[in-house]
Amino acid sequence: MKLMLKIFLGTLFLVAVHSCSDFNKNDYLRSLGTLEKTIDSIETVLLENEIDTFPRLLSSSLMLELHLKDEVLSDTLPLEMATQINEFQVALHDLKPLGQFYQSMLQSIPHQRFSVQLLKNEVQNDSGDRHKYAENLAFESKRVKGLNTSLTEFIERKNNAVSAIQRNFSPLTAFYLELRSKKN
């Protein structure tokens, strides 16, 4: 009788422990599903913010910058033009690395998606170190949050640089052409 009671209590304890791990498992899977959706959203927003005119914009801006350097003497430059040239050059300087940053983020997303999927498979199949699921989930969440922060920074820098270039390109081109016509 005591042996039966011990077996019953032991079985009850194992069932309780197993069901608690299932609760954690469902929470982990829910969190991993949320991370997958976040990664998908990051990818969508990144693709929507591609600088589609990047090569043309960069090329024409660099050409204008070179022409201005050839034609403009710093001591004969009106203050307004100097300010526009400075803003243009700063924006151009910011725009150059954005293309590489975009490509880097574009390559990071599939790697992050794979890591989350791998962890999700481990949780679903109860494989791997079950005691590290929470730690691994926190690590992957931190990486996805970092991607999201990088995306926000990319969009802000891209918008600032492109708008500054577009705002100053026409007046600086007109200024360059005026200087060039005066020389001829």
Side-chain angles (χ1 to χ4, degrees):
M1 185 74 158
K2 283 188 176 189
L3 182 60
M4 289 289 271
L5 182 61
K6 286 182 182 181
I7 292 174
F8 175 73
L9 289 176
T11 306
L12 185 62
F13 176 74
L14 289 175
V15 167
V17 167
H18 181 69
S19 65
C20 286
S21 69
D22 281 345
F23 286 133
N24 289 340
K25 180 179 177 177
N26 289 335
D27 288 342
Y28 293 145
L29 291 173
R30 217 174 294 116
S31 295
L32 288 166
T34 301
L35 284 180
E36 286 176 325
K37 288 178 185 174
T38 303
I39 292 169
D40 291 342
S41 296
I42 289 171
E43 183 176 39
T44 301
V45 172
L46 181 65
L47 291 172
E48 288 172 354
N49 281 281
E50 178 182 13
I51 306 173
D52 52 348
T53 59
F54 184 76
R56 187 173 47 95
L57 180 65
L58 188 59
S59 175
S60 59
S61 298
L62 287 172
M63 289 299 291
L64 178 59
E65 182 182 38
L66 287 174
H67 290 311
L68 284 170
K69 283 181 181 178
D70 288 342
E71 296 292 329
V72 175
L73 299 174
S74 60
D75 60 340
T76 62
L77 199 60
L79 180 60
E80 182 183 325
M81 256 331 118
T83 305
Q84 284 183 324
I85 289 173
N86 185 51
E87 183 181 13
F88 182 79
Q89 288 177 327
V90 167
L92 190 57
H93 181 270
D94 288 347
L95 188 64
K96 289 177 188 176
L98 286 178
Q100 292 172 331
F101 190 71
Y102 176 85
Q103 291 301 321
S104 172
M105 281 198 62
L106 203 55
Q107 292 171 0
S108 305
I109 290 171
H111 294 296
Q112 186 59 47
R113 185 178 284 123
F114 178 75
S115 296
V116 170
Q117 187 60 46
L118 192 64
L119 182 57
K120 187 175 182 178
N121 288 340
E122 284 183 10
V123 172
Q124 284 175 331
N125 299 329
D126 292 323
S127 60
D129 190 357
R130 296 177 86 187
H131 298 9
K132 290 203 170 195
Y133 286 166
E135 183 181 324
N136 293 341
L137 178 62
F139 177 75
E140 295 302 334
S141 295
K142 188 175 181 180
R143 287 180 61 198
V144 170
K145 185 177 180 183
L147 266 178
N148 198 18
T149 302
S150 295
L151 175 66
T152 303
E153 180 184 332
F154 168 77
I155 292 170
E156 183 178 320
R157 288 178 59 199
K158 178 202 81 146
N159 289 342
N160 288 341
V162 169
S163 69
I165 287 172
Q166 289 174 341
R167 181 175 54 251
N168 292 302
F169 190 83
S170 293
L172 291 176
T173 301
F175 179 69
Y176 162 72
L177 293 173
E178 180 184 323
L179 285 175
R180 188 154 176 101
S181 70
K182 286 180 181 178
K183 280 191 171 185
N184 292 335

